[in-house]
Amino acid sequence: MRTTARCRRLLPLRADLGRCLRTSLAAALQRPVPLHTNAAVFAASFSSSSSSLAADNSDVVAPSVDDYGSAGLAPIPTKRLLHSNLTTPSLSSAGGNDVFGFPLISNKWFKQQHNANQLRKLHTTAVDAPATKLSSIDNDDVTRFARLSGEWWDERGALKPLHSLNQARVPWIRDTLGSRTSKSSTTDDGRSSLAGLRLMDVGCGAGVLSEPLARLGAHVIGLDAADDAIDVARARTRLDPDLKRANIEYRCGSVESFVADNPKMVGSFDAIVASEVIEHVLSLESFLDACVQLVKPGGQLFFTTLNRTLLSRVMAIWVAEDVLGIVPQGVHDWNKFVPPNDLAALLEARGCNVRLLNGLCYNPLMNKWSWVADTSINYALMARKEA
Amino acid sequence: MALSRILRSSTNLSATSLIANQLTRICRSFASTSSTSSSAASSDYYDVIVVGGGLVGNAMACNFGLNSNFQEKKLLLLEAGGTRSLGAPSKLYSNRVSAVSPSSKRLFQKLGIWDRLEAYRVKSVRQLQVMDSCSQSAIHFERQSFQSEVAWIIENDAIIGALFDKLASDCSKNVTVKSKARLKSCSLPADTSELAQVVLEDGSVFETKLIIGADGAKSKVREAMEIGYTGWEYGQKAIVATLQVSGGADNEVAWQRFTPFGPVAILPLSANLSSLVWTTSPDKCDQLLALNEDEFVDQLNEALWSEETQDSFVNKALFTVDSMLSTVLPATSVVQLPPTITGLQSDSRAAFPLGFGHAHTYVKPRAALIGDAAHRVHPLAGQGVNLGWGDVQELIEVLQKVVRSGGDLGSMTSLAEYDSRRQMRNVPTMVAIDWLNRLYGTNFAPVVMARSLGLYGVNRFGALKNLIMDRASA
């Protein structure tokens, strides 16, 4: 009953995306584990093309839909970058990972698999997400949810690279932000290096990145449109004694609606983090508008995402989908990947200065990320909002 | 009539049990609300629980307690026996000693117990001499550099006592030691969504983010982890005893003679005392333990000096090679003779079986193994506990990185790093030790020839020897 309903709902979705093949749908139906971020943006696109969907998901829908989505990015401001104010963080300050040279191919490969999984789940989530069940959860539910949605915190599962990415991105954020607070410069360890800072983790999922930031002392609001993921994240705050003490809260919704609903929080955050998120966003402009609004003047914005290059096209679309067949065809949209220059230009147009840009490289054998100069596949970018 | 009475009493019973149930439920809900109101400070949660307060577990707890990164974390050390303290040196030496490698010494210095141990009693070893009972081949290890010690022989009880004292004096803020705590069971979650749980035989229950199994070769933590384990018994037993010796000037040489039954090791304890580790077959072991002291000493001297099993053909070959090589490479070291055993210090004989064990992985979500729980080796190279102390240093390094980047202490991503680094270091050493034991477990002539020439070769070529020595003492 439930399955057939989902089937029916997925049909317009398939037509909408155009390139979704039967294999991916079958896979999505077999594994309806709802996962992941930014469902709102997808829901938004569905709702704009299919009225029945809009009726089902009225409150997951993002308020502003700038529909340039599947055709690729909107025209980019002509101001071409920018090399003067891009700096490279030293490896030690950014976590000091070893550099393994080879894994560009496998990196892409893994990343693809991971994205495909997330997208697949996202489709089901976005269409199927029940409207409001965010309220009171009792402790039995907490454990049940934690067990049900084990996939998020299965560090050896589909999201394995996302967990190990913490070893690179948390020190990056900690050291970049922490250098601003006087407290951290006096302590030799990073325990409470983010104390007193207000952060928002946009597209937090089940809190894979929000949790470490909160443990380091920051006041973190994790925001995600997938309420299942938010449920898992909230359950963990009740089980983990560190997080009970920490200052962490989760909200369900899109960043645009968060701005609309919480006018008092506009301009209140020391930093906004959007990690592995913007490659799924259809309307990058409205997404960035909202992020920049939320951050304080002089505050920072952290992004990690995928570049749109020939290399990523070859590895992501051709090798991963057509040759190896690891990723269901058409699930991944290379057009939504964001080149760092485009992201930087969009941020500059919103009054931010890009300060850091670095490549990230994944070694699937060691499950380890390292900082590299080459940004052609994964990269991390930090911008500062003008004071 | 009787039936109805029984019925009535049974309904009464069920009613009372119902009331009792209700009461306990109320009590429980009351208890749970009170525990949530007291937040995370509830006494049954610790960030880390170390199971086993031995040589390795204590070092782990001590290292954790002294590290500035863990000052806000709480560790519980569970010891099945009692805690000990390092008092004045007893007249009699303990028969269980460890050969502490230079890197383990550095760990002790970091933990601030080295000076204490040195003030108690520590015997430095400047040379290591390995001999073959089947031929004249021998190898001689000695430090060429300014640091002249190869290892230090210290009684296990002294190390454990010094660590317990350090825990009590400097780590009481974040380390709790619970003695007479026998582990009943521990349950590990499939991922970090739940906490791990430890149940003791006295019924107390503790929750934690990370269980560290330092509970020896028969580890219960390892059992609970349900991981692959390869192990076998060698069919050998080791006899330990404290010996009175004469011969060596300062008694600063550790001796090891390989016999077809197994190696005999004599480790210096003081100018005229040494510690014995005599590996032999179980039958021979029982015989030896049944002998009186004098007969035992005679047997031991024979095992050290006997020429019976010498292979004359191999010796001739060795002599030829040596005389040829000497024209090109002058001999570097003189072979020393082992000390003569004159008696036992009281009757300190004891024996234990030897085996090999290897956990295929040292980690699971919320669990990690260190020391003998992860790897068990033959004592012939004196490496076992040093590998364990190496585990401690690596695990601490990984955990402090976790804390500094706000991670979960039981997170698999970081623990896997500990696992791969330690396996890479431990497994080759374990395999080498196992093969050495097999290589010397025979008097089959071609094998004797091969190993004699090999040992001779290593002894003559300094670079190779230094490499082995660095590896063994790292």
Side-chain angles (χ1 to χ4, degrees), chain A residues 155 174 191 215 240 242, chain B residues 69 72 192 209 404 406 413:
Chain A
E155 292 175 66
R174 177 193 74 198
R191 269 176 287 132
R215 283 202 194 92
D240 186 326
D242 286 345
Chain B
N69 288 290
E72 285 157 28
T192 53
K209 286 222 172 122
R404 286 165 58 83
T413 309

Side-chain angles (χ1 to χ4, degrees), chain A residues 66-143:
Chain A
D66 179 3
D67 204 6
Y68 62 76
S70 54
L73 282 164
I76 289 150
T78 46
K79 192 173 160 196
R80 260 333 209 183
L81 283 174
L82 188 227
H83 300 288
S84 56
N85 55 359
L86 292 185
T87 57
T88 302
S90 75
L91 287 183
S92 65
S93 77
N97 295 301
D98 302 329
V99 177
F100 300 96
F102 73 92
L104 290 177
I105 293 170
S106 334
N107 167 19
K108 195 61 247 170
W109 184 93
F110 253 71
K111 189 71 203 176
Q112 280 302 321
Q113 215 174 16
H114 149 212
N115 281 338
N117 275 335
Q118 289 183 336
L119 276 177
R120 218 188 296 138
K121 285 158 191 162
L122 221 160
H123 295 164
T124 50
T125 310
V127 179
D128 209 33
T132 44
K133 55 166 198 172
L134 301 173
S135 57
S136 63
I137 304 157
D138 69 15
N139 276 336
D140 289 349
D141 263 3
V142 168
T143 17

Side-chain angles (χ1 to χ4, degrees), chain B residues 256-298:
Chain B
Q256 182 143 290
R257 190 177 203 227
F258 283 103
T259 76
F261 289 115
V264 184
I266 310 284
L267 309 169
L269 287 176
S270 72
N272 53 5
L273 291 174
S274 286
S275 186
L276 169 74
V277 186
W278 186 355
T279 307
T280 186
S281 66
D283 292 344
K284 185 120 191 280
C285 171
D286 294 342
Q287 288 170 23
L288 288 169
L289 289 177
L291 296 175
N292 69 34
E293 272 186 51
D294 291 341
E295 287 167 341
F296 179 81
V297 169
D298 288 345

Side-chain angles (χ1 to χ4, degrees), chain B residues 5 97 113 123 144 161 214 232 288 304-305 311 345 366 403 418 436 456 458-459:
Chain B
R5 194 179 300 157
V97 300
I113 61 163
K123 179 67 183 170
Q144 305 296 327
W232 57 77
L288 288 169
L304 281 175
W305 292 93
D311 189 314
Q345 191 193 37
R366 302 220 178 280
V403 171
Y418 158 73
L436 264 181
Y456 172 80
V458 172
N459 194 39

Side-chain angles (χ1 to χ4, degrees), chain A residues 319-334:
Chain A
V319 174
E321 292 186 7
D322 298 333
V323 179
L324 297 175
I326 307 151
V327 180
Q329 291 194 341
V331 158
H332 211 105
D333 193 352
W334 176 78

Side-chain angles (χ1 to χ4, degrees), chain A residues 69-347:
Chain A
S70 54
L73 282 164
I76 289 150
T78 46
K79 192 173 160 196
R80 260 333 209 183
L81 283 174
L82 188 227
H83 300 288
S84 56
N85 55 359
L86 292 185
T87 57
T88 302
S90 75
L91 287 183
S92 65
S93 77
N97 295 301
D98 302 329
V99 177
F100 300 96
F102 73 92
L104 290 177
I105 293 170
S106 334
N107 167 19
K108 195 61 247 170
W109 184 93
F110 253 71
K111 189 71 203 176
Q112 280 302 321
Q113 215 174 16
H114 149 212
N115 281 338
N117 275 335
Q118 289 183 336
L119 276 177
R120 218 188 296 138
K121 285 158 191 162
L122 221 160
H123 295 164
T124 50
T125 310
V127 179
D128 209 33
T132 44
K133 55 166 198 172
L134 301 173
S135 57
S136 63
I137 304 157
D138 69 15
N139 276 336
D140 289 349
D141 263 3
V142 168
T143 17
R144 209 184 65 230
F145 271 118
R147 209 166 290 145
L148 266 180
S149 322
E151 223 167 315
W152 263 108
W153 285 94
D154 180 3
E155 292 175 66
R156 292 161 298 179
L159 299 177
K160 185 177 169 184
L162 197 65
H163 286 275
S164 60
L165 182 57
N166 273 359
Q167 294 180 337
R169 60 185 172 175
V170 174
W172 175 56
I173 294 168
R174 177 193 74 198
D175 294 346
T176 312
L177 268 177
S179 60
R180 294 174 60 228
T181 60
S182 57
K183 192 175 178 183
S184 70
S185 57
T186 53
T187 53
D188 60 334
D189 51 74
R191 269 176 287 132
S192 48
S193 44
L194 298 181
L197 296 177
R198 272 175 66 79
L199 307 187
M200 178 178 272
D201 182 10
V202 184
C204 65
V208 173
L209 178 57
S210 312
E211 286 188 9
L213 295 175
R215 283 202 194 92
L216 291 175
H219 181 174
V220 179
I221 294 183
L223 183 68
D224 202 290
D227 60 353
D228 305 76
I230 290 291
D231 285 344
V232 174
R234 285 184 179 150
R236 287 178 59 89
T237 62
R238 266 159 274 195
L239 286 168
D240 186 326
D242 286 345
L243 298 176
K244 277 188 209 161
R245 281 186 296 247
N247 221 333
I248 186 164
E249 57 184 294
Y250 290 102
R251 304 284 182 89
C252 189
S254 71
V255 65
E256 293 92 339
S257 61
F258 184 87
V259 172
D261 298 343
N262 301 282
K264 280 183 185 169
M265 296 227 196
V266 168
S268 75
F269 289 93
D270 293 285
I272 302 288
V273 180
S275 187
E276 305 303 295
V277 170
I278 59 174
E279 67 269 27
H280 303 299
V281 168
L282 281 182
S283 172
L284 187 55
E285 292 207 334
S286 73
F287 179 86
L288 292 179
D289 278 339
C291 288
V292 175
Q293 278 180 55
L294 286 170
V295 81
K296 269 181 193 167
Q300 297 173 9
L301 297 113
F302 294 86
F303 300 93
T304 73
T305 188
L306 284 152
N307 198 348
R308 183 157 43 106
T309 58
L310 186 62
L311 185 63
S312 70
R313 171 151 222 164
V314 168
M315 302 318 297
I317 311 298
W318 188 64
V319 174
E321 292 186 7
D322 298 333
V323 179
L324 297 175
I326 307 151
V327 180
Q329 291 194 341
V331 158
H332 211 105
D333 193 352
W334 176 78
N335 289 309
K336 288 205 218 61
F337 293 177
V338 187
N341 282 2
D342 292 2
L343 177 59
L346 288 169
L347 286 166

Side-chain angles (χ1 to χ4, degrees), chain B residues 138-373:
Chain B
I139 190 166
H140 181 82
F141 291 107
E142 193 174 5
R143 288 248 169 221
Q144 305 296 327
S145 59
F146 59 94
Q147 189 201 15
S148 54
E149 287 92 352
V150 183
W152 293 263
I153 309 296
I154 310 176
E155 291 150 271
N156 291 354
D157 286 346
I159 300 173
I160 293 173
L163 286 168
F164 269 130
D165 287 349
K166 191 74 187 173
L167 283 172
S169 63
D170 293 2
C171 310
S172 55
K173 191 180 151 239
N174 57 347
V175 176
T176 311
V177 180
K178 191 170 165 62
S179 56
K180 310 261 183 263
R182 294 193 158 272
L183 186 71
K184 190 175 169 203
S185 67
C186 53
S187 60
L188 297 166
D191 60 31
T192 53
S193 310
E194 288 165 61
L195 296 174
Q197 209 177 50
V198 169
V199 183
L200 301 185
E201 276 182 0
D202 67 6
S204 42
V205 179
F206 299 98
E207 285 193 317
T208 185
K209 286 222 172 122
L210 176 62
I211 299 177
I212 298 177
D215 47 348
K218 290 176 184 162
S219 171
K220 279 196 174 172
V221 176
R222 189 182 66 225
E223 231 168 73
M225 284 165 77
E226 292 173 341
I227 50 177
Y229 184 74
T230 305
W232 57 77
E233 298 298 317
Y234 279 121
Q236 289 176 324
K237 277 185 158 183
I239 302 172
V240 291
T242 307
L243 308 172
Q244 287 170 335
V245 298
S246 73
D250 288 325
N251 195 19
E252 286 191 320
V253 184
W255 300 91
Q256 182 143 290
R257 190 177 203 227
F258 283 103
T259 76
F261 289 115
V264 184
I266 310 284
L267 309 169
L269 287 176
S270 72
N272 53 5
L273 291 174
S274 286
S275 186
L276 169 74
V277 186
W278 186 355
T279 307
T280 186
S281 66
D283 292 344
K284 185 120 191 280
C285 171
D286 294 342
Q287 288 170 23
L288 288 169
L289 289 177
L291 296 175
N292 69 34
E293 272 186 51
D294 291 341
E295 287 167 341
F296 179 81
V297 169
D298 288 345
Q299 289 277 324
L300 178 56
N301 277 318
E302 200 187 316
L304 281 175
W305 292 93
S306 162
E307 301 281 321
E308 253 173 49
T309 49
Q310 292 274 319
D311 189 314
S312 58
F313 178 69
V314 173
N315 282 340
K316 268 181 205 148
L318 271 177
F319 181 78
T320 318
V321 173
D322 185 51
S323 51
M324 277 160 59
L325 204 65
S326 296
T327 57
V328 194
L329 266 176
T332 46
S333 59
V334 188
V335 173
Q336 295 190 2
L337 295 175
T340 306
I341 314 302
T342 55
L344 296 178
Q345 191 193 37
S346 77
D347 196 357
S348 48
R349 281 177 287 173
F352 53 92
L354 301 178
F356 176 93
H358 163 64
H360 299 179
T361 174
Y362 298 165
V363 299
K364 267 261 173 132
R366 302 220 178 280
L369 296 174
I370 54 175
D372 279 7

Side-chain angles (χ1 to χ4, degrees), chain B residues 7-20:
Chain B
L7 262 176
R8 199 180 309 138
S9 70
S10 78
T11 50
N12 275 350
L13 232 166
S14 66
T16 41
S17 72
L18 207 91
I19 291 166

